[in-house]
Amino acid sequence: MGPRADPHRPPRRPHRPQTPDRLRHARSGRRLRHRPRPARPPLLAGVLSAVALGLGTAMVYPALIASISDHAHPAWRPNALGTYRFWRDIGYAAGALVAGVLADAFGLNATVIAAAVLTAASGLLAAHWISEHRPEHP
C-alpha cells in the first residue's frame, strides 16, 4: 500500500518547466512575481497597414516623378529629378528622427497628429505652387 496523503498539506501544484527567469529567482531565494506582458497589436493589423502603405506609395511615387518631369525644362530635368529624390530621401531619415523625438517628448498621439498636419500642409503647398501649364519645349 502506498503512502497516505497528509490531509493537512495543500495539494501539489503541477510541474512547470524552469525558465531562465524562474531559475535566477529560485537561486536568489526571492519569489517571482507575475509581470504582465505588454499588449501587442494583432499581426493582421500590421500586415494590412503595410499593404495599404505599399499600395499608397506605389500610386503616389510615379505621379510625383511625372509631375516633376512635366514641370521641368528638358535641359534641367535630370537636376530637378535628382533634387526631388535627394530631399525625399532625406525626408525619410529626418522624419524618422523627428518623429522619435516628438514621440518621446509628447507621446505617440501627438506625433501622429503632427505627421498628419505636415502631410496636409505639404499637399496644400504643392497644390498652390504647381500649376497646370507645361513649359514650352524648344
Side-chain angles (χ1 to χ4, degrees):
M1 210 151 88
R4 293 180 74 189
D6 186 0
H8 301 291
R9 263 180 107 173
R12 292 180 66 187
R13 285 194 237 165
H15 176 71
R16 290 182 6 188
Q18 294 292 319
T19 62
D21 230 13
R22 288 186 183 285
L23 287 173
R24 185 176 68 241
H25 285 282
R27 288 183 196 129
S28 69
R30 295 184 311 200
R31 288 195 59 163
L32 178 65
R33 283 194 220 148
H34 174 69
R35 288 184 235 149
R37 293 184 181 180
R40 295 181 184 157
L43 178 63
L44 181 61
V47 169
L48 291 177
S49 297
V51 168
L53 179 64
L55 288 174
T57 302
M59 288 188 287
V60 169
Y61 185 70
L64 292 173
I65 292 289
S67 176
I68 289 168
S69 293
D70 288 348
H71 287 84
H73 188 274
W76 53 274
R77 187 173 293 153
N79 288 341
L81 289 173
T83 301
Y84 164 73
R85 293 279 317 264
F86 171 78
W87 286 108
R88 185 195 58 129
D89 293 346
I90 290 293
Y92 283 134
L97 293 173
V98 170
V101 170
L102 284 176
D104 281 345
F106 302 109
L108 193 55
N109 287 338
T111 304
V112 171
I113 291 170
V117 168
L118 286 172
T119 302
S122 68
L124 291 173
L125 284 173
H128 177 72
W129 284 342
I130 297 176
S131 63
E132 283 297 318
H133 87 66
R134 296 177 106 175
E136 295 294 323
H137 298 298

